[in-house]
Amino acid sequence: MSRHETFRLNRRDMMKLGAGGAGLFALTASRLAVPASEGAGGGVYIEAFPTSPLILNPFKDELVIPPAMKPVAPTDLEKWTDKPDPNKQDSLGLDDKSDYNKRYGLTLGKHQIWPDILPVVYQIKVQVATHKFTSSQVQPINSFGKDVIPPGFSDSKPRNLPDSVIYGFNGTFPGPRINAEYHKPIVVRFQNELDQDHGLDVQDFGAPNRTFLTHLHNGHTAPESDGQPHYSHYRFNPLGGRSHDMAAFKPGEWVDQMYLGYPAGGDDREKQSFFWFHDHVHGFTGANVYKGMVGLMPIYDPKIDNGDETDQNGLRLPGRRENKDGTFEVKYDIPLAFYDCRLDDGVTPHKDFHNGTGKTAPQWWGKTFFRHFPNHGFVGDVFTVNGTAYPVMYVKRRKYRLRFLDASIARIYDFRLMTSSGGPKTARSLGYTGDELQGQWRLPDGQQCMKFYEIANEGGLLPKPIVRDNFELWPAKRREMIVDFTKWIDGSDTVAGQELYLVDTMKMTTGRMWDLPDPAYKVPVMKIVIVGDVDADEPDVSIIPAALRPVPDVPASARTAFKNSSIPTFELQRGTISGEPETEWLINGQQFDPLKPLISPKRGSEDTWRIRNGGGGWVHPFHLHMEEHQVMTRKGKAAPDARHPDDSGKEDVVALDPSEEVVIFRRFRTFAGPYVAHCHNLAHEDHNMMFGWEIMP
Ligand SMILES: [Cu+2]
């Protein structure tokens, strides 16, 4: 096959197809939208997406806050036949003759570093399970927002939404939360149980062979515990796994991932505060993440950020620590993972490079719908927080620390806190159709009502807080905000029973980038209800400190490196490779190839890298594994700029505007071996916008 062709329904076609209702769309789709010659197979894909049924009663399901996971009890650990062992890192066994050993002087299958103190052991089983996005009834609608009769049903009445089938860490979405602490190393035993599907229909997306590879984003972690396709090539190639579906852990296999809780260089300034872990099987990262493989791992710093606002030695950021049998929970400190999805309407054809021949799937009506291979990226029309569509969060009159994570495939959010007297209205009742139905609900009279105090980005605490009216959240990025729910923006006190909304104002109807600004685009993602004062015996003694954590020193030369045309430069490009139908995205003209790392710094060295968005039509959240970087310049101007005020801190995802060029400074400490850097628009990553790089011993 030369390269796949793209068959695309344009929006007008979609609207026409939708106009007659679901039935007509199905009929038309089978005769016109998918020409028989292409529908019979081959590499084409269809760029048409379903309209999810409308969630009729949003903001009633309470936000789920994943509880902190408990470590494996020592008495249970005693019974394990394969206990965590420095000399056995996974179930595949040692290999002392591989190319990996020769290249890096390491032994495949062993932990590169094992700490002096006994690590805390967690066990996470990767499982097939069901997930409920809402308890609300839903109204089947078409792309015109009109009621329709879903295939297989006899009327268009509201009905319950079926559960979706997920691949989940311990069978939940999001997966369990690990509350970690610096200087307390953790081993997580990830174990593949995806072959045990309990008769559930796992549909047509997710990694073939039900494999997984878990990446702790962005841990300072050895390659063998980093869960990524450059290392996995070496691990699985001797076992016959070259193609991406083989280069990952299959059902029955396990891997121990060692998270040292050690800041790079032993430097407190390198500490971070909010990790997440997610799947990273090459070619199927998007599908597996979308299928539920998302977990949260806040990491606390016992010195200044231990989760206890009463500790006079710390920064006293909002949080009340409650100790429980070896683990701990923190009240008033809440992770929020954002994820957008589409639910099958039963009439949109399934077809991309990996699934189907253009058939519809009425049996999957109301369950998650995915395309492995969208043209630019996948955006959903239902917005969820911690796995619940349009939840409600109840808060006391006090300060909270909210940890935002964008766990979406491609969607970028721009959040504000708003009040409304009229309340949310359905997008369809306001006359919107087609892509404008994304988000389902609008807050037409929404007005900003509170501010955010940004204290951290994905690189951990900032040097000092930044007061913000709104902030963008790009895929994989984290931003942590303190919100004071005692006062409105005009200085008046809040009162029990008052309500506000977390609102997304970034209209983004395709995976390319945002649409033109639209002041009417105000999607309420979560409702927040103020329930009353804090208890007298638990006053809010948290503060918003003037200073948080300084950033590590950077050599003066890094600030002028943008003038140097010879520094390593990585340009992100739209493009194809002859004979590789999977490839749509390139870096420096190349697709990801684990055998061709683009750069090989020595352990202990440091460097400035230029990351360039080679196109004007897309944005790219570009993620670099291993160590945090600092942004030195954007478009040749010193960082931070007004658009990226938190470039003042460290980060692990470079947000690249169209044609933007960013110079970063980074170090390569502690470990040796293969790593990757890639776009975190997961459709771009899976279609080869990734490069391998390595640290030489
Ligand atoms: Cu990208």
Side-chain angles (χ1 to χ4, degrees):
M1 193 174 345
S2 58
R3 63 173 290 258
H4 60 278
E5 300 158 76
T6 303
F7 182 79
R8 189 174 175 162
L9 301 170
N10 68 33
R11 298 227 177 100
R12 189 162 299 171
D13 291 339
M14 291 277 292
M15 300 288 274
K16 275 190 220 145
L17 293 168
L24 181 60
F25 182 78
L27 177 72
T28 312
S30 63
R31 293 192 181 159
L32 296 174
V34 188
S37 59
E38 294 181 329
V44 293
Y45 58 92
I46 297 166
E47 192 78 350
F49 297 92
T51 302
S52 299
L54 173 62
I55 293 172
L56 292 170
N57 293 297
F59 313 114
K60 299 278 196 291
D61 291 334
E62 192 167 343
L63 175 77
V64 174
I65 301 166
M69 212 185 153
K70 295 188 196 324
V72 179
T75 48
D76 291 333
L77 197 57
E78 272 309 305
K79 295 175 200 145
W80 286 21
T81 47
D82 269 313
K83 295 179 190 59
D85 180 339
N87 294 311
K88 189 175 184 197
Q89 199 240 340
D90 60 31
S91 59
L92 308 174
L94 286 184
D95 178 348
D96 54 13
K97 295 191 179 57
S98 80
D99 294 346
Y100 184 78
N101 306 27
K102 291 174 204 130
R103 193 170 183 90
Y104 303 113
L106 298 165
T107 302
L108 206 51
K110 273 175 81 163
H111 287 277
Q112 194 170 136
I113 292 182
W114 188 265
D116 300 337
I117 38 174
L118 205 62
V120 180
V121 179
Y122 288 90
Q123 185 179 29
I124 292 182
K125 297 171 177 175
V126 187
Q127 295 173 318
V128 180
T130 58
H131 179 75
K132 196 178 282 301
F133 287 105
T134 182
S135 66
S136 163
Q137 286 224 307
V138 297
Q139 172 64 55
I141 59 172
N142 64 11
S143 64
F144 262 101
K146 302 277 189 254
D147 292 1
V148 288
I149 302 171
F153 294 90
S154 56
D155 63 65
S156 64
K157 286 184 189 143
R159 58 196 70 243
N160 294 326
L161 192 67
D163 291 351
S164 284
V165 175
I166 61 164
Y167 290 171
F169 295 123
N170 285 345
T172 64
F173 172 70
R177 169 161 49 134
I178 295 174
N179 277 344
E181 278 184 292
Y182 273 100
H183 317 301
K184 276 194 186 164
I186 286 172
V187 166
V188 185
R189 166 75 51 97
F190 288 97
Q191 200 164 326
N192 190 330
E193 294 189 351
L194 292 175
D195 55 337
Q196 299 166 37
D197 57 21
H198 322 292
L200 293 167
D201 180 351
V202 301
Q203 300 181 242
D204 61 353
F205 64 90
N209 302 346
R210 307 195 188 186
T211 52
F212 82 87
L213 199 58
T214 312
H215 170 55
L216 179 70
H217 181 128
N218 179 51
H220 183 51
T221 305
E224 71 272 10
S225 287
D226 196 39
Q228 33 88 356
H230 195 182
Y231 172 79
S232 77
H233 161 76
Y234 286 100
R235 175 75 277 202
F236 292 94
N237 192 33
L239 304 167
R242 175 74 217 278
S243 64
H244 31 248
D245 56 323
M246 292 293 288
F249 293 95
K250 291 190 277 298
E253 296 176 344
W254 56 261
V255 57
D256 282 345
Q257 305 214 155
M258 166 63 74
Y259 304 135
L260 287 166
Y262 168 80
D267 184 343
D268 282 342
R269 296 172 299 179
E270 295 285 3
K271 285 177 176 169
Q272 296 154 258
S273 61
F274 187 20
F275 293 122
W276 65 302
F277 47 98
H278 63 79
D279 190 71
H280 213 313
V281 174
H282 185 50
F284 300 93
T285 295
N288 274 359
V289 169
Y290 183 78
K291 216 173 176 87
M293 289 158 74
V294 171
L296 310 171
M297 188 168 130
I299 182 161
Y300 292 88
D301 172 12
K303 290 189 185 166
I304 61 168
D305 183 21
N306 67 358
D308 183 359
E309 67 194 31
T310 69
D311 178 7
Q312 299 295 322
N313 297 318
L315 290 170
R316 294 170 59 195
L317 299 170
R320 286 270 182 167
R321 187 160 159 154
E322 304 180 304
N323 282 296
K324 283 181 193 167
D325 53 8
T327 180
F328 61 96
E329 299 277 354
V330 184
K331 283 204 280 187
Y332 316 122
D333 173 355
I334 297 172
L336 301 169
F338 296 83
Y339 161 102
D340 58 333
C341 61
R342 286 190 188 260
L343 305 172
D344 209 314
D345 58 6
V347 298
T348 299
H350 284 238
K351 182 172 176 62
D352 60 38
F353 196 68
H354 302 283
N355 63 25
T357 52
K359 289 198 190 76
T360 58
Q363 74 277 20
W364 294 335
W365 181 86
K367 295 171 185 268
T368 40
F369 173 101
F370 187 65
R371 286 208 188 289
H372 288 88
F373 213 168
N375 200 1
H376 300 287
F378 182 93
V379 289
D381 58 357
V382 171
F383 294 3
T384 76
V385 192
N386 293 353
T388 300
Y390 313 105
V392 57
M393 177 171 75
Y394 297 99
V395 298
K396 292 181 178 169
R397 296 190 61 247
R398 55 157 292 143
K399 293 188 283 302
Y400 281 72
R401 176 179 189 167
L402 304 177
R403 301 178 188 241
F404 292 78
L405 158 69
D406 185 347
S408 306
I409 302 282
R411 183 173 292 283
I412 299 171
Y413 303 84
D414 190 342
F415 288 120
R416 270 175 204 267
L417 293 167
M418 290 184 167
T419 48
S420 156
S421 47
K425 305 273 185 276
T426 61
R428 72 170 185 168
S429 71
L430 299 168
Y432 293 114
T433 60
D435 289 341
E436 296 269 4
L437 291 171
Q438 287 179 21
Q440 298 200 329
W441 289 80
R442 300 276 184 117
L443 200 64
D445 65 348
Q447 295 288 332
Q448 189 191 343
C449 64
M450 286 182 188
K451 287 180 187 281
F452 300 103
Y453 296 85
E454 183 178 357
I455 54 165
N457 64 2
E458 71 266 22
L461 296 172
L462 299 172
K464 51 187 181 184
I466 302 169
V467 185
R468 307 192 74 164
D469 292 319
N470 62 301
F471 65 94
E472 289 180 13
L473 196 66
W474 289 40
K477 273 193 173 273
R478 287 84 72 208
R479 277 180 161 149
E480 298 181 38
M481 305 285 158
I482 295 177
V483 178
D484 183 350
F485 291 108
T486 66
K487 288 201 188 311
W488 299 107
I489 202 167
D490 65 3
S492 63
D493 287 345
T494 56
V495 174
Q498 287 180 321
E499 300 171 352
L500 61 153
Y501 292 87
L502 179 71
V503 176
D504 174 32
T505 62
M506 176 75 87
K507 187 153 103 181
M508 182 166 166
T509 53
T510 76
R512 263 176 182 272
M513 58 178 293
W514 44 84
D515 297 27
L516 291 172
D518 176 1
Y521 189 80
K522 289 186 261 190
V523 173
V525 178
M526 181 169 74
K527 181 168 163 174
I528 300 167
V529 177
I530 294 163
V531 293
D533 286 315
V534 293
D535 297 336
D537 61 350
E538 199 179 271
D540 178 4
V541 297
S542 70
I543 58 173
I544 303 174
L548 296 162
R549 193 195 289 289
V551 287
D553 300 322
V554 167
S557 59
R559 304 200 185 277
T560 53
F562 71 96
K563 295 178 187 163
N564 181 351
S565 58
S566 67
I567 64 171
T569 297
F570 304 98
E571 183 172 304
L572 283 64
Q573 299 150 333
R574 178 81 160 153
T576 55
I577 297 280
S578 175
E580 296 285 358
E582 287 272 355
T583 299
E584 291 210 323
W585 302 92
L586 307 172
I587 295 174
N588 291 355
Q590 298 185 54
Q591 60 184 343
F592 171 64
D593 184 344
L595 297 173
K596 290 185 194 160
L598 292 193
I599 191 163
S600 308
K602 280 210 174 71
R603 179 162 52 195
S605 67
E606 55 189 43
D607 208 353
T608 42
W609 288 5
R610 177 184 283 113
I611 316 290
R612 180 187 290 149
N613 184 348
W618 300 274
V619 297
H620 302 288
F622 194 71
H623 171 49
L624 301 102
H625 285 221
M626 219 288 288
E627 275 205 40
E628 308 290 299
H629 59 260
Q630 288 181 57
V631 175
M632 296 290 99
T633 50
R634 285 182 181 268
K635 299 177 196 152
K637 297 214 172 69
D641 64 15
R643 181 159 155 63
H644 308 87
D646 61 0
D647 277 351
S648 58
K650 299 168 284 152
E651 61 175 25
D652 62 48
V653 177
V654 186
L656 283 170
D657 282 356
S659 303
E660 191 170 43
E661 179 175 302
V662 176
V663 172
I664 61 171
F665 173 77
R666 57 178 321 201
R667 296 184 166 97
F668 311 97
R669 286 173 284 198
T670 317
F671 309 107
Y675 290 96
V676 292
H678 59 87
C679 183
H680 225 289
N681 177 327
L682 298 179
H684 299 187
E685 171 188 340
D686 281 335
H687 300 101
N688 279 323
M689 188 172 257
M690 170 153 66
F691 69 86
W693 62 278
E694 60 192 347
I695 301 178
M696 305 310 286

